[in-house]
Amino acid sequence: MNVWLNLSFQDSASFIMEQMTFFYDFSFLIILMILVFVVYTMVCLSFESFINRYVLDNQMLESVWTVLPLIILVFLAFPSIRILYLMDEMKNPLLSCKVLGHQWFWSYEYSDFTNFEFDSYMIFNCMRLLETDSCFVVPMGLKIRLLVSSVDVLHSWTVPAFGVKVDSIPGRLNQLNFTTNRLGVYFGQCSEICGVNHSFMPIMVEVVMAAAFESWLVNSGA
């Protein structure tokens, strides 16, 4: 979760978020290099009192500053498209769950286990506006598919550590895929203004081992 003075992304807990962080660092490095070059050029020109007549009409130079941005965009496009395909529909998910947004709480249903479902309400505890009375428990390392919808107004199910965000729309079923690679408890919040208590419907996800997940299902009566 976020802490004070943390101006970067949260620590990743899924493969998708790792790739998104790497792409951010890669693109930021390229943008920083362009910025330094442009600032350096502007400073040099501002202190230069002479004009090079070959720069005013230079076909080769114009070709270079036309082709160079194209090459940079290609370097940015390929990893971006790769991440988009990684976030696309997952084949053969090992666990499918349903998430429903309400005013103002979340409902979870493990449809693979005899329709085991529960509601998740916010509680006032150590983590302000982040903790819930019931965690959404998922096993680590398995392909998980979420089917997200709403029963009243627009909501948005978001967990930054997983790099996932999907709109919860009444009458529409959206799909979300992720695979966790780190144990722990992760927090999120509704990211769509859904009414007066929009900030009081947090998301709390606990990632456990597969054996612990099975024990949790048995103890919960699934």
Side-chain angles (χ1 to χ4, degrees):
M1 62 174 292
N2 274 337
V3 294
W4 292 108
L5 299 179
N6 183 12
L7 303 179
S8 184
F9 296 110
Q10 296 184 16
D11 293 337
S12 62
S14 69
F15 178 71
I16 294 177
M17 188 58 187
E18 285 183 356
Q19 297 300 312
M20 293 174 66
T21 304
F22 293 155
F23 175 68
Y24 170 81
D25 295 337
F26 174 69
S27 59
F28 184 79
L29 177 62
I30 293 179
I31 294 172
L32 184 62
M33 293 171 60
I34 295 173
L35 178 63
V36 171
F37 174 74
V38 172
V39 171
Y40 173 77
T41 305
M42 293 176 61
V43 171
C44 291
L45 291 176
S46 63
F47 288 99
E48 181 62 53
S49 58
F50 300 100
I51 297 177
N52 190 337
R53 63 189 179 90
Y54 295 107
V55 178
L56 297 178
D57 186 16
N58 191 322
Q59 298 296 329
M60 179 60 69
L61 184 59
E62 291 182 2
S63 300
V64 169
W65 69 44
T66 301
V67 175
L68 187 59
L70 178 62
I71 297 175
I72 294 174
L73 289 177
V74 169
F75 271 94
L76 290 174
F78 278 104
S80 176
I81 294 174
R82 178 174 178 270
I83 294 176
L84 286 177
Y85 275 100
L86 287 174
M87 298 175 63
D88 202 359
E89 183 176 353
M90 181 184 295
K91 292 184 179 180
N92 302 322
L94 297 179
L95 178 64
S96 295
C97 303
K98 297 177 182 177
V99 180
L100 289 177
H102 303 260
Q103 286 184 320
W104 287 270
F105 62 95
W106 296 98
S107 294
Y108 299 96
E109 178 181 336
Y110 294 83
S111 53
D112 293 345
F113 304 97
T114 64
N115 294 328
F116 169 57
E117 58 182 320
F118 60 89
D119 298 330
S120 179
Y121 294 90
M122 187 190 73
I123 58 175
F124 293 93
N125 209 337
C126 298
M127 305 296 179
R128 182 177 181 270
L129 303 182
L130 288 177
E131 288 191 88
T132 61
D133 58 348
S134 300
C135 281
F136 177 48
V137 182
V138 295
M140 185 184 71
L142 298 185
K143 297 180 180 179
I144 300 172
R145 177 180 62 182
L146 294 186
L147 302 176
V148 184
S149 185
S150 173
V151 298
D152 37 49
V153 299
L154 292 176
H155 302 279
S156 183
W157 198 86
T158 309
V159 180
F162 297 162
V164 295
K165 178 181 179 182
V166 61
D167 289 334
S168 175
I169 303 174
R172 178 173 176 174
L173 201 63
N174 286 334
Q175 181 171 306
L176 176 68
N177 308 289
F178 64 91
T179 302
T180 58
N181 58 5
R182 185 177 298 177
L183 299 175
V185 179
Y186 303 94
F187 301 94
Q189 290 177 305
C190 177
S191 299
E192 185 74 37
I193 298 178
C194 55
V196 64
N197 288 331
H198 157 68
S199 59
F200 295 97
M201 51 180 304
I203 300 163
M204 190 172 176
V205 183
E206 183 177 2
V207 181
V208 299
M209 298 297 293
F213 178 71
E214 294 178 0
S215 300
W216 176 78
L217 287 175
V218 172
N219 296 331
S220 300

